[in-house]
Amino acid sequence: MQITGAQIIIECLVEQGVDTVFGYPGGSVLPLYDALYKNKDRITHILTAHEQGASHAADGYARSTGKVGVCIATSGPGATNLVTGIATAYMDSVPLVALTGNVPVPLLGRDSFQEVDISGITMPVTKHNFIVKDVCELAETIRSAFRIAQEGRPGPVLVDLPKDITQHQCDYEPSVPKEILPRTERLSEKSLEQALDLIQHAARPMCYVGGGVIRGKASDELEKFLSLIDAPACVSLMGCGAVSSYSERFTGMVGMHGTKVSNMCVSACDLLIVIGARFSDRVVSKASAFARNAKIVQIDVDPAEIDKNIKTFCHVVGDVKVVLTELNKRIEKTLEHGKWMEQVQSYKKRYPIRVEGESIRPKEILGALQKVMPPGSFVATEVGQNQMWAAQFLKHELPGHFMTSGGLGTMGYGTGAAIGAQCGNPGSRVVNVAGDGCFRMNCNELATIARYKLPVIILLMNNQTLGMVRQWQTLFFDKRYSETTLDTPVDWVMLAKAFGVHGMHIHKEDDPLAILQAAFDLHEPVVIDCEIPLDDKVYPMVAPGASIEDMLGVEESNEY
């Protein structure tokens, strides 16, 4: 039976298990939106206020559900508005399929109205992209896009759809998606044995865990591995939730805004096992001093990450879940590193996270949030001080429940991501920890939250400045606060109410616990404007170019 290209897209999305898409209509995607209208009982479309919000929502949906996120935009400016969200997903290895409209095939390359070479623009920030010029190739292209987005190291794929392709008709044959198998073609017995030998002979092993463990659904295997080798573990920002914050083996984040404990452990260990992490500059800082006393074993599904930033002693290339399972099988006897674990515990007592600045208000507010959030809640963040405070002070117990823009550092990410997470997990609560600078970039998405009555809570850490940039200006630019003061008198509570969203205020003298509890009890969308002192800082911190051991804002415990 022949059907239109637009209907073929719908059938392929249903085949792939897609139940929700995020987007914004326009002329070049009218046939697709007409098909969505006719199939709204099969696929829910969430209309965002801006295409960038749609891409971030698809990203948050993917991170929080483990499924592929889907976003749709029209040609030209609609497509280019997706680019930041696509790049965000690319840097953080998020499976996403972006469907963009374009002008009809005969008009391609003629500078037609709202034409842009979106496949060329996004080539550096996608795993792959397609432009479909024959409707008979459409179904297989969509299927390939979903397969590529998920296999190996996940990431975004773009499919560009000229308008006439969605109008033409073609025979369609249903197909069952092939199982996505773990990538093991580069996994060798030799690399496993070499890694195992290093592990068994280490006296002070340390694990550095990244987002690859979460993407690879390998947290259970990691927990067993840590127990078998009797080692502590630190995480990157993207790895928050891969190891429970309540685990005695957990030492916190590592790197620029990590804990002194994690950074000391990385420097003191004799074997650093890096699992699903990529040696970001925000983790490594001064490369020549990073883990200088250790041999480094890197486990990663992406061979391009091996020896890219830091030279390793040994590497194992393959799906992290498979690799950890194989290593766990081969460790015949549980290893014991009592003295090393005692040293780690002594670091924890000596270097607790302390807060310098005018107050400890961010820690108090997030501590209160931790108490009132129901189990299994999801947290999204914006970027900057709010992001670091959320990573440092909240407990991250479940993989995929903490969503933040790590690699790209995208201001404006959190509200869209919270929308996507709430749509993908309607029975859970979702909180976006935001800063006032970031929220200025995405407060238009309150319209989306209100339209769909999503019970998202936006916790606005309001210090009336671009806090992280101001912190750098304070420390490294002699307090020259060039264009970072946000003293425009915005009443965020009134703004929320203008969108039909509840607004609350936490003043500096207020007890945040009761107000936060009241917000959760509403089971409706709420914006909470929290006053934060202007010069509260994110500590500890590693200055640019310094060793990760050399941290600013660290105090030793008086009880040590």
Side-chain angles (χ1 to χ4, degrees), residues 144-159:
S144 295
F146 275 83
R147 184 180 67 253
I148 293 168
Q150 297 173 83
E151 66 184 359
R153 180 178 183 172
V157 178
L158 181 136
V159 181

Side-chain angles (χ1 to χ4, degrees), residues 376-422:
S377 294
F378 291 83
V379 173
T381 81
E382 301 294 346
V383 166
Q385 289 181 319
N386 63 87
Q387 177 187 35
M388 293 297 107
W389 286 326
Q392 289 178 335
F393 299 139
L394 291 176
K395 299 295 185 181
H396 308 290
E397 190 171 8
L398 298 171
H401 284 244
F402 181 70
M403 298 162 292
T404 193
S405 173
L408 199 62
T410 305
M411 292 178 70
Y413 167 81
T415 301
I419 289 169
Q422 191 68 79

